[in-house]
Amino acid sequence: MSPVPVVTIDGPSGSGKGTVSRLVARHAGWHLLDSGALYRLVALAGARAGLGFGDRDAHAALARSMDVTFGTDSGGGERVLLDGRDATDAIRSEDCSRGASRVAAWPGVREALFARQRAFARPPGLVADGRDMGTVVFPEAELKIFLTASAAERALRRHKQLKDKGVSANLATLSREIAERDERDSTRPIAPLEPASDAHIVDSTGSSIDQVVGRVLMLGRERRLWR
Ligand code: C5P
């Protein structure tokens, strides 16, 4: 076993991996890496710096130099700071979703984020959520989960999430955007979205979050990662 145990939870957008990862990390008392947030932050940093969209080198430089802090506010809510400015809500916009998926296809950006992501593996353990956590960033992970759900269900979940936040969204547009993002993430030549050969595939279509978390916790217990 590597010195710091790592559990990876990869999958497409809307598969529930963010929520599942957070709950598993909380159960284990481990750190959490939301790697998608890093790609979103690169897109946001580029927009804030007024970079042109094709400027790969400048985006890679930002991925290396941007100052990122993941923390909590006084009410216990999660906050992300980019170069000292709150970016929590800004990185969740559809613009940032689209931008993240574009910059994520650039090798220089992925390379720059690799070391940052590895640095999240600190005792007592890490739950890493993303697309290539089990295949590229933590190939040595003790437990790898690939979480899926049907495209229709993922669009519905995203729609509900936005509605709960008071953001109006059109289901058909969301479905189309999710399909486009899936296509871009799965077909890019570098670190495409695909399960690691040793990943457990968990399909969450029709399952509650509790059921999915229960399944992941059971797999971790079988490996004596937590109680
Ligand atoms: O998970 P999230 O939706 O926040 O990720 C935003 C985008 O970042 C994804 O569409 C994907 O293109 C990219 N990403 C990635 N590799 C990761 C995490 C996210 O390419 N490990």
Side-chain angles (χ1 to χ4, degrees):
M1 199 147 108
S2 53
V4 178
V6 176
V7 170
T8 59
I9 304 186
D10 289 304
S13 8
S15 58
K17 67 194 157 53
T19 311
V20 171
S21 300
R22 188 169 296 110
L23 291 171
V24 170
R26 197 174 296 159
H27 174 91
W30 288 7
H31 299 285
L32 175 68
L33 164 60
D34 172 2
S35 61
L38 293 175
Y39 288 93
R40 290 169 180 272
L41 285 161
V42 174
L44 181 64
R48 281 187 181 172
L51 294 185
F53 213 83
D55 201 341
R56 299 182 177 211
D57 290 346
H59 277 91
L62 282 176
R64 248 185 308 277
S65 66
M66 65 183 182
D67 174 22
V68 176
T69 314
F70 289 96
T72 45
D73 59 24
S74 51
E78 290 170 16
R79 310 302 305 173
V80 186
L81 302 185
L82 171 62
D83 297 320
R85 276 168 68 191
D86 194 293
T88 318
D89 297 328
I91 58 166
R92 299 294 153 197
S93 69
E94 284 307 310
D95 269 357
C96 263
S97 301
R98 219 175 0 253
S101 147
R102 289 192 185 144
V103 300
W106 300 341
V109 169
R110 301 202 76 85
E111 223 173 275
L113 292 184
F114 180 83
R116 268 185 195 261
Q117 296 174 98
R118 293 280 310 175
F120 275 79
R122 280 175 285 123
L126 176 70
V127 177
D129 146 11
R131 304 287 192 292
D132 62 339
M133 297 294 99
T135 47
V136 176
V137 182
F138 299 106
E140 78 286 14
E142 268 71 28
L143 172 62
K144 299 180 185 178
I145 307 291
F146 192 85
L147 200 55
T148 61
S150 70
E153 180 145 339
R154 290 187 288 120
L156 272 175
R157 287 180 191 167
R158 180 80 184 126
H159 189 246
K160 180 171 181 310
Q161 231 174 32
L162 290 172
K163 227 172 97 186
D164 290 349
K165 275 199 236 159
V167 179
S168 70
N170 177 289
L171 187 59
T173 311
L174 274 178
S175 301
R176 199 181 53 242
E177 283 176 353
I178 285 186
E180 279 170 13
R181 209 137 60 92
D182 281 357
E183 169 75 11
R184 201 161 37 228
D185 290 348
S186 316
T187 55
R188 67 183 175 215
I190 175 169
L193 171 66
E194 64 181 3
S197 56
D198 50 349
H200 291 262
I201 315 269
V202 177
D203 187 340
S204 71
T205 312
S207 302
S208 69
I209 288 287
D210 282 355
Q211 286 170 324
V212 178
V213 171
R215 169 120 179 80
V216 177
L217 291 182
M218 196 189 71
L219 289 165
R221 260 181 228 117
E222 285 170 8
R223 287 163 183 71
R224 302 187 185 284
L225 293 173
W226 47 65
R227 287 165 174 273

